[in-house]
Amino acid sequence: MSDITSNFTESKSPNDSKDTFVDSKETEEMQDEDGELVLSHQEAMSKVEASINEIISTDPLLCDLPPEVTLEEINSFIALEHGQAIVVNVHRADGEVLSVVVVQNGTVLDLKHAIKRHMTLKLSRSKGKKHISWKYIWKRHWLYFDGQKLTEDKKLLKEYGIRNKDEVTFIKRLKEK
C-alpha cells in the first residue's frame, strides 16, 4: 500500500536521529524505508481523479455523469434513481433546455437554486463567465408552467402541478406600469 503525503515527505537519514523534511517536488520519485513509492499531494490527487474518471466512464449507471462530477451531482443522481427527486426541464429564451434535478417535495425556491447550481457548474466547466447576478436574473425573469407564473417561492412544485420531466419556461418579465 503506497503512502500518500503532502508536498513534504518526512525521512530519516541513517546517520541522523533527527527528522528531516525533503521537498518532494525536487525529486521525481521518492521511496520510503519499505521501498514503497511516496507521492506529493498533487500527484496523488491527479492519480485519484484519473481513477475516478475511469470508473465513472466505464460504469453503466454512472456513465451519464460528467467527467469532473461533484459530490452534489452524485447525490442528486442517487436521489433521482431512488425516486426521491424529479427532473424539471427548463426552456430558456435562446432555445437551450436545462435539465435540473429537484427534490420530490421541492419548492419554487428549490427549483431556482437548482437552476443556479446547474448554470454555475456549466459555466465553470466551460471556463466562461464566473459570476452571474442571480438577484438581477430573478428580478427580470419569470418561471412559467402551463401558462401560470411561479411567483411564490415557498409554494411546492406539486401545488403548481409540476411533476417529473415536466417543462418550465424561463421568460423575461414585462415592465409593469
Side-chain angles (χ1 to χ4, degrees):
M1 187 165 168
S2 66
D3 182 25
I4 299 174
T5 62
S6 66
N7 283 339
F8 291 95
T9 306
E10 182 180 347
S11 66
K12 291 188 180 193
S13 65
N15 302 338
D16 194 30
S17 63
K18 291 184 180 179
D19 292 341
T20 59
F21 290 93
V22 178
D23 186 354
S24 62
K25 288 181 183 176
E26 293 175 3
T27 61
E28 297 236 348
E29 290 185 357
M30 290 186 58
Q31 293 183 350
D32 64 4
E33 300 89 34
D34 300 329
E36 292 184 7
L37 182 65
V38 178
L39 302 174
S40 71
H41 177 74
Q42 188 175 10
E43 292 168 332
M45 288 302 295
S46 66
K47 286 186 181 256
V48 169
E49 285 177 11
S51 297
I52 291 172
N53 288 339
E54 183 181 340
I55 291 168
I56 289 172
S57 64
T58 58
D59 188 275
L61 292 175
L62 302 176
C63 65
D64 294 339
L65 295 173
E68 298 172 359
V69 68
T70 63
L71 179 61
E72 193 170 14
E73 287 175 306
I74 292 173
N75 288 337
S76 295
F77 187 72
I78 290 170
L80 193 60
E81 289 296 318
H82 288 289
Q84 299 167 346
I86 61 172
V87 174
V88 177
N89 295 315
V90 180
H91 289 268
R92 291 183 10 177
D94 63 0
E96 185 178 354
V97 178
L98 311 174
S99 294
V100 296
V101 178
V102 185
V103 291
Q104 190 80 27
N105 59 346
T107 63
V108 173
L109 187 60
D110 292 331
L111 176 59
K112 288 180 178 180
H113 286 301
I115 293 168
K116 176 182 176 182
R117 187 172 46 250
H118 180 86
M119 288 303 300
T120 303
L121 281 170
K122 182 179 175 185
L123 290 173
S124 68
R125 287 185 179 134
S126 69
K127 309 293 188 250
K129 185 178 177 182
K130 296 286 182 185
H131 179 73
I132 294 176
S133 172
W134 288 98
K135 187 175 180 180
Y136 176 84
I137 296 289
W138 297 125
K139 279 185 177 182
R140 302 291 189 269
H141 294 81
W142 286 112
L143 290 173
Y144 275 83
F145 174 72
D146 202 24
Q148 58 184 334
K149 295 179 196 175
L150 308 182
T151 56
E152 297 177 40
D153 283 347
K154 293 182 181 179
K155 196 169 182 180
L156 295 175
L157 295 174
K158 290 179 187 177
E159 293 176 27
Y160 283 108
I162 298 174
R163 304 280 179 241
N164 192 26
K165 298 184 181 175
D166 278 344
E167 297 179 356
V168 173
T169 309
F170 197 70
I171 299 177
K172 190 168 183 159
R173 290 185 188 197
L174 299 175
K175 291 184 179 179
E176 296 176 7
K177 294 182 178 181

